[in-house]
Amino acid sequence: MAQVKLHVELLRYTKDADEIVAMGGKMCYSASDIDTIAQGVATKDQSRYIERLMGMGHTSVIEHASFTFGIEGVSRALLAQITRHRIASFSVQSQRYVGQRRDEGTFNYIMPQRIAALGPEAQQRFNDQMAQIQSWYNEWVDALGNAGEQSNEDARFVMPNAAETKIMMTMNARELMHFFSLRCCNRAQWEIRELAWQMLEKCMEVAPRLFANAGPGCVRGACPEGKKSCGQAGQVCLRQAALRDKNNA
């Protein structure tokens, strides 16, 4: 059995993101030269100015801050969802060059929460199914000559959505705000929702002012889902507030 769990690391990010964003804003509205603007931003707290920019809807300036994440322990089903966020850069572990043949055990995979909640018997059934798929994969690799990527590229067609993948992803802060608004929502699929919350927590640790109001739409006002609302906006807001307070302490 090779079940794996979600693991997220913030690999790189724009240092002093508040200052970069503030410089972008002031560049739009000031007649001063670049050096003067930079010096002014560096010597003064920019939190209120950033709040004002966000309140004005001037969010293009936050595109100057970017964040790169390393993500593992996620399924190929999640990969299909996250790559729909097109203003981002992705590097994904290849199932062609990274073969999944195992003589013992199975490939790494993710067990859905609802299946796990059914109890040990259901979990074992799922594990057995993954083992069966592993045997089919091995059969095809051998039938195709066990020739590395030349065999893997066709044998992988029997692999399930549950198979683990690893991703490196870079987004600018504006796209992250959009990502969090959709994927931190309770109506998002459970796997990408948990990924989004973990990413938000790591963003708040390094840029708490910039991401102070990030999260699903209900943390900023009425739920945008309307009649499809989960009805748990209060709990969601508490979770987001706990992250904000933790990193503003």
Side-chain angles (χ1 to χ4, degrees):
M1 182 172 66
Q3 290 183 42
V4 291
K5 294 185 178 180
L6 173 64
H7 178 67
V8 184
E9 292 289 344
L10 180 57
L11 302 175
R12 298 286 189 276
Y13 61 93
T14 301
K15 304 283 187 179
D16 302 317
D18 291 352
E19 292 187 11
I20 293 295
V21 170
M23 285 181 64
K26 291 180 183 296
M27 191 71 67
C28 295
Y29 301 113
S30 174
S32 300
D33 58 43
I34 294 173
D35 290 340
T36 302
I37 291 173
Q39 290 172 10
V41 166
T43 57
K44 187 176 180 181
D45 178 64
Q46 299 299 319
S47 55
R48 289 188 177 179
Y49 181 66
I50 290 173
E51 288 178 9
R52 185 147 50 101
L53 286 174
M54 298 301 99
M56 294 166 56
H58 191 172
T59 52
S60 64
V61 294
I62 68 175
E63 293 178 16
H64 296 296
S66 65
F67 299 77
T68 299
F69 298 88
I71 303 165
E72 58 187 5
V74 293
S75 69
R76 302 291 291 196
L78 181 140
L79 177 64
Q81 295 182 77
I82 202 167
T83 50
R84 293 173 188 155
H85 295 270
R86 291 170 294 177
I87 307 176
S89 298
F90 298 95
S91 298
V92 181
Q93 185 182 70
S94 169
Q95 284 186 329
R96 182 186 184 203
Y97 290 98
V98 181
Q100 302 297 316
R101 196 187 194 290
R102 302 286 188 274
D103 293 320
E104 295 182 6
T106 66
F107 55 89
N108 290 342
Y109 59 87
I110 287 77
M111 179 181 291
Q113 292 178 342
R114 290 187 180 90
I115 291 178
L118 293 175
E121 184 176 339
Q123 293 173 27
Q124 187 58 53
R125 183 181 179 190
F126 188 84
N127 293 334
D128 291 343
Q129 290 170 346
M130 296 301 104
Q132 178 63 69
I133 292 172
Q134 180 69 69
S135 70
W136 291 336
Y137 178 88
N138 291 352
E139 288 176 12
W140 283 118
V141 168
D142 292 339
L144 294 165
N146 199 8
E149 63 265 23
Q150 292 181 15
S151 302
N152 300 339
E153 67 181 4
D154 290 336
R156 65 183 169 174
F157 275 64
V158 302
M159 295 293 283
N161 270 338
E164 183 208 19
T165 193
K166 296 178 174 65
I167 307 168
M168 187 168 78
M169 177 182 71
T170 301
M171 285 184 177
N172 66 52
R174 189 183 194 181
E175 179 60 14
L176 277 169
M177 297 287 194
H178 175 65
F179 176 76
F180 295 144
S181 71
L182 296 178
R183 302 302 187 173
C184 287
C185 175
N186 275 353
R187 296 196 68 248
Q189 185 260 355
W190 65 267
E191 187 181 19
I192 200 168
R193 182 174 69 242
E194 187 53 36
L195 170 63
W197 277 104
Q198 290 196 28
M199 288 170 57
L200 176 56
E201 181 174 9
K202 293 185 180 299
C203 287
M204 282 188 167
E205 288 173 359
V206 298
R209 296 184 184 90
L210 192 57
F211 290 94
N213 294 312
C218 59
V219 305
R220 293 176 296 278
C223 173
E225 295 292 327
K227 293 181 179 180
K228 294 183 179 181
S229 172
C230 70
Q232 299 176 327
Q235 295 178 23
V236 175
C237 290
L238 286 174
R239 182 176 184 179
Q240 195 271 359
L243 289 181
R244 185 178 63 239
D245 294 344
K246 172 185 174 183
N247 292 292
N248 283 329

